[in-house]
Amino acid sequence: MLRVVDPIIIHFLFIIGGLVALYFGAEWLVGGASSIAIKLGISPLVVGLTVVAFGTSAPELLVSLQANLNGQPDVALGNIIGSNICNIALILGVAAAMKPVVIHLQIIKREMPILIITSLVFVAMLWDKRIERWEGGILFAGIIIYVTASLIEARKEKGAGDYEEFSEEEVEEMKKSGASQMVKSVLLIIVGLVALKFGSQWLVEHGAEVAKWFGVSEAIIALFLFAFGTSLPELATSIVAIRKGQGDIITGNAIGSCIFNILTVIGITAMVHPIAEQNIASLDKMVMLGLTIAITLFMWSRMALNRIEGWLLLFGYLTYSVVRYCMDQGII
C-alpha cells in the first residue's frame, strides 16, 4: 500500500514546493528589481507599471512557458483561462461577500473595456485552436501600448514622486543604499529567477503526474489546481485589503492581472512557441468571457460590488467547477 501511496504524496509535495517557489521567486524578483530601479532614479511609475506588474505575472508566465515547451499546451492555456476565472469569480467574489467593494470610476471606464476587448481577441484567436507566433506578437504589442498609455495617463493625474508600492522609509533607504545593497538586490533577482524556474518546472511536471494518477486531463489540473495556486497571493491580498476598506487595490489587482495574463503571458508564450489547443472546452472560454461581462455590469450598476453579487460570483465558480469536472469524466 505504501508503495502505491508514496509516489502521489511526493508529487503533491513537489507541487506545493513549486507554488511556494513561485510565490517567493516573484517577491524576490520584484523587490530586487524595484530597489535597483529606485536607486538608479528610474521613475516610480515605470517601476510600478513594469517591474511590479511583470513580477506579479511571472509565476503564470513561467508555468505557461514551461508547459508549452514541454508539449503541454492545455496547461499553458488552462493556467491563464483558469487564473482569469479565479481572479474575477473567486477573488472578487470572496472580497464582495465579506464586505461591499466600492469601484473606482477608472476601472469601469478604462480597465474593464480593455479587459473585455482583450478577452474577445484572445478567444477569437483560439477559433482555429491555435495561437501562432504572429498572434502572440499582436497580444504582446497590446501590453506595450497599455503600459505606455497608463504611464502617460498616470503622469497627467499625479506626480512622479509617488512610490505607491513602498513606504517612504523604504524608498529613502533604497535611494541611500550603497554598493552592498546593490549587490544584494542583484542576488535577489538571480535567486528569484532561479526559484521561478524550478517552481514552474516542479508544478508542470508533477501536476501532469497527478492528472494521470486521478484520471483527469491536464487541462483540468491547469484550470483549477494551477490557476488557484498561482492566484493564492492575490486572494490573501484581497482579504487583507477588504478588511482595511481598500477596494481599489482589490479590483485593480484582479482586473490588471487578467489583462497582463492574456497580453503578456499568452503573448510571450506564443511568440516563443505556437500554442495548439487540445482539450480546452468552449465552456472554459465562454465562462471567462461571461464572467468578464457580468462583473462589468455588476460594477456599472452601483459603482460597487455588493454581498449578493459576491455570493453569485462564488456560486458561479462552484457550479462551473462541478460541471467542468463532470464533462472531463464523461458524466455529462
Side-chain angles (χ1 to χ4, degrees), residues 73-232:
D74 279 350
V75 173
L77 289 171
N79 180 40
I80 297 309
I81 294 173
S83 288
N84 281 17
I85 291 173
C86 263
N87 283 335
I88 296 173
L90 188 60
I91 293 174
L92 292 181
V94 167
M98 290 175 61
K99 183 179 180 181
V101 178
V102 177
I103 309 299
H104 194 282
L105 183 61
Q106 176 183 304
I107 296 291
I108 298 174
K109 291 180 66 176
R110 189 179 72 175
E111 266 63 37
M112 290 313 302
I114 290 174
L115 178 57
I116 290 173
I117 293 171
T118 298
S119 300
L120 285 170
V121 170
F122 173 49
V123 172
M125 286 180 174
L126 280 172
W127 187 260
D128 61 352
K129 297 187 178 298
R130 285 182 64 86
I131 296 184
E132 304 292 351
R133 283 192 172 92
W134 65 269
E135 291 174 313
I138 290 176
L139 293 175
F140 189 65
I143 198 60
I144 294 175
I145 295 171
Y146 173 70
V147 169
T148 302
S150 298
L151 283 168
I152 294 172
E153 186 67 23
R155 286 188 179 280
K156 291 178 182 177
E157 294 178 358
K158 60 198 294 186
D162 298 325
Y163 289 82
E164 290 184 335
E165 301 294 331
F166 309 95
S167 67
E168 292 182 9
E169 294 78 11
E170 288 175 320
V171 172
E172 288 304 315
E173 184 179 342
M174 289 177 187
K175 288 181 177 178
K176 294 177 182 178
S177 61
S180 61
Q181 181 61 39
M182 289 289 282
V183 172
K184 179 182 177 182
S185 298
V186 171
L187 289 175
L188 268 179
I189 293 173
I190 294 172
V191 173
L193 289 171
V194 171
L196 287 170
K197 168 66 172 68
F198 282 102
S200 62
Q201 184 176 335
W202 294 340
L203 200 61
V204 171
E205 292 180 358
H206 293 275
E209 293 301 318
V210 169
K212 293 176 185 176
W213 182 276
F214 286 104
V216 298
S217 67
E218 292 175 349
I220 290 293
I221 291 291
L223 283 164
F224 296 100
L225 179 60
F226 292 178
F228 179 76
T230 54
S231 296
L232 278 177

Side-chain angles (χ1 to χ4, degrees), residues 2 6 30 63 77 87 153 160 208 215 227 236 238 254 276 310:
L2 284 178
D6 282 350
V30 170
V63 168
L77 289 171
N87 283 335
E153 186 67 23
S238 295

Side-chain angles (χ1 to χ4, degrees), residues 91-101 242 305-312 314:
I91 293 174
L92 292 181
V94 167
M98 290 175 61
K99 183 179 180 181
V101 178
I242 198 64
L305 291 175
N306 59 37
R307 283 193 171 94
I308 293 176
E309 290 164 340
W311 283 111
L312 282 174
L314 290 175

